[in-house]
Amino acid sequence: MTNELDIFVGNTTLIDEDVYRLWLDGYSVNDAVALRVRSGILEQTGATAAVLQSDTMDHYRTFHMLERLLHAPPKLLHQLIFQIPPSRQALLIERYYAFDEAFVREVLGKKLSKGTKKDLDDISTKTGITLKSCRRQFDNFKRVFKVVEEMRGSLVDNIQQHFLLSDRLARDYAAIVFFANNRFETGKKKLQYLSFGDFAFCAELMIQNWTLGAVGEAPTDPDSQVDDMDVDLDKEFLQDLKELKVLVADKDLLDLHKSLVCTALRGKLGVFSEMEANFKNLSRGLVNVAAKLTHNKDVRDLFVDLVEKFVEPCRSDHWPLNDVRLFLNQYSASVHSLDGFRHQALWDRYMGTLRGCLLRLYHD
């Protein structure tokens, strides 16, 4: 009697997404096996515990070998050792560079240095994220920062080109790089209600409007060191913001500005009387924030100042979000009717971004 046996030989690298997630989350092989057992995989597959242990170890070995390629994703695409379909390559990269909201909130705005890395034990304890996962996420932030910090051009495009991330994840990393470079304070108690998404939204507005790259002001000197067009704030713009002080220093301009806003909003705001009584304080707060941005410390404290000078006073008077929106729109637009004011374009560049940020920061 002749026995026939069909044999198929392939060299495609198998990737188990569930095991990959456990590896990314920092679990040891034994812990990963225990979690897989708890998921009911032995009953589902009929495998033995020994086979599951061997399977998990095999996957972990593969992931460890892939990790050096994941540090420079284009290398993963061009290597020939691991035969991985393009869709699987994209999944490996995207998930390797994904991060936990709780973790990024702890390090956002901090210097990506050894000093911060020493705090990862405490962050791991506080967030419940394994230390190994914290280290991976921190090292990813630092790696991306180091690669793109000196590059010309769009920060998001540079991140996508060198790390092959999705548009959304590249934008998140752009925010992380931007905050790390400018060292914005995000850890103060009064800022804890804000999510990473809130800060990332503001970062995107600032990158689009307040950096050198925002207005295409490439340096004329080819040897200029101003290469990081989307990473650094436009210092000339920040210096010019001092010109806005006239809006609150000139009593006639301040009174006229208030009159224009109140006339336009009378009968439209539920908190009109509170707005009218507090207009000058709110206006001084918003304009003084602009005038102080020439100093590094005041740049770092931007979000603290916005919450203290605008969000908290409005919140204490119970302004609904829609009233905040109506006020900011009219407050910004009315300046164009002030005949004595000569800095309309500067005002629009400042308030266009600030208005968007304040509406995002205001949780009524």
Side-chain angles (χ1 to χ4, degrees):
M1 180 177 178
T2 303
N3 290 323
E4 292 185 2
L5 181 64
D6 292 328
I7 298 176
F8 173 79
V9 178
N11 63 350
T12 300
T13 302
L14 298 177
I15 303 294
D16 186 305
E17 293 182 34
D18 293 330
V19 181
Y20 187 51
R21 178 181 53 79
L22 293 170
W23 179 74
L24 290 174
D25 287 345
Y27 291 106
S28 67
V29 171
N30 288 338
D31 288 341
V33 169
L35 288 167
R36 296 183 77 190
V37 169
R38 211 172 299 158
S39 73
I41 193 169
L42 295 182
E43 292 79 11
Q44 295 164 18
T45 62
T48 65
V51 168
L52 186 64
Q53 177 87 16
S54 178
D55 177 70
T56 305
M57 288 180 66
D58 187 50
H59 276 98
Y60 267 50
R61 276 192 295 269
T62 299
F63 300 147
H64 283 302
M65 288 187 287
L66 286 169
E67 188 163 22
R68 64 180 178 81
L69 298 172
L70 289 165
H71 289 171
K75 290 183 179 179
L76 179 63
L77 270 61
H78 299 125
Q79 56 78 39
L80 301 174
I81 299 172
F82 300 97
Q83 301 302 305
I84 304 173
S87 61
R88 283 297 195 186
Q89 291 176 343
L91 179 144
L92 287 169
I93 295 166
E94 191 79 359
R95 292 195 182 176
Y96 187 80
Y97 284 90
F99 53 82
D100 292 295
E101 162 94 15
F103 177 77
V104 73
R105 273 300 277 118
E106 293 297 320
V107 300
L108 188 65
K110 292 183 179 178
K111 193 172 182 179
L112 299 174
S113 63
K114 291 180 180 178
T116 304
K117 195 167 185 178
K118 290 178 181 176
D119 297 333
L120 296 185
D121 280 320
D122 293 335
I123 294 175
S124 174
T125 301
K126 180 178 178 180
T127 60
I129 300 167
T130 66
L131 180 58
K132 191 171 182 180
S133 181
C134 287
R135 285 174 177 156
R136 173 183 59 81
Q137 294 178 57
F138 180 83
D139 288 343
N140 285 346
F141 296 164
K142 186 175 181 179
R143 185 181 309 110
V144 173
F145 181 88
K146 288 292 184 185
V147 168
V148 303
E149 66 171 326
E150 301 292 343
M151 287 184 174
R152 293 178 183 268
S154 163
L155 187 53
V156 174
D157 289 348
N158 287 336
I159 291 171
Q160 283 188 296
Q161 180 182 345
H162 288 83
F163 292 93
L164 310 179
L165 305 182
S166 66
D167 181 71
R168 181 64 268 160
L169 191 56
R171 289 180 185 280
D172 285 344
Y173 268 87
I176 292 165
V177 169
F178 184 70
F179 266 65
N181 185 67
N182 293 287
R183 306 285 301 282
F184 291 112
E185 172 62 57
T186 66
K188 291 283 179 70
K189 185 176 181 180
K190 64 179 59 192
L191 301 179
Q192 289 305 303
Y193 76 97
L194 295 170
S195 68
F196 168 73
D198 295 330
F199 286 117
F201 177 86
C202 295
E204 191 161 347
L205 287 179
M206 287 189 279
I207 290 170
Q208 289 171 353
N209 298 292
W210 287 7
T211 62
L212 281 169
V215 288
E217 295 177 357
T220 54
D221 180 0
D223 296 322
S224 171
Q225 296 300 304
V226 188
D227 291 339
D228 35 0
M229 306 294 287
D230 269 2
V231 177
D232 285 330
L233 292 167
D234 180 353
K235 289 183 171 53
E236 186 176 337
F237 164 66
L238 298 183
Q239 287 286 341
D240 290 345
L241 287 176
K242 290 187 292 186
E243 302 293 341
L244 301 182
K245 284 217 63 162
V246 67
L247 286 170
V248 293
D250 185 315
K251 185 177 184 303
D252 291 338
L253 273 182
L254 180 59
D255 287 342
L256 180 55
H257 192 190
K258 177 181 177 179
S259 175
L260 289 169
V261 173
C262 289
T263 299
L265 293 180
R266 192 179 303 277
K268 297 179 181 178
L269 289 189
V271 291
F272 180 83
S273 59
E274 290 85 350
M275 181 277 292
E276 187 176 33
N278 210 24
F279 178 90
K280 292 184 178 180
N281 286 334
L282 292 174
S283 188
R284 287 191 186 99
L286 294 177
V287 172
N288 286 336
V289 165
K292 293 194 305 177
L293 290 178
T294 52
H295 306 293
N296 287 338
K297 183 185 183 304
D298 292 307
V299 170
R300 288 198 295 269
D301 287 339
L302 173 63
F303 293 98
V304 177
D305 289 340
L306 292 179
V307 169
E308 285 182 350
K309 306 297 184 185
F310 186 84
V311 173
E312 288 180 344
C314 292
R315 195 186 283 154
S316 69
D317 281 339
H318 308 293
W319 287 42
L321 179 58
N322 194 52
D323 280 9
V324 174
R325 181 179 292 106
L326 289 171
F327 169 76
L328 287 173
N329 288 345
Q330 194 58 49
Y331 175 79
S332 301
S334 295
V335 167
H336 290 271
S337 300
L338 300 176
D339 292 335
F341 186 65
R342 300 282 181 258
H343 307 285
Q344 308 289 1
L346 180 67
W347 173 254
D348 289 344
R349 187 178 175 188
Y350 172 66
M351 274 306 298
T353 294
L354 205 72
R355 181 172 66 246
C357 287
L358 288 169
L359 289 172
R360 185 67 185 239
L361 300 182
Y362 192 82
H363 295 190
D364 60 342

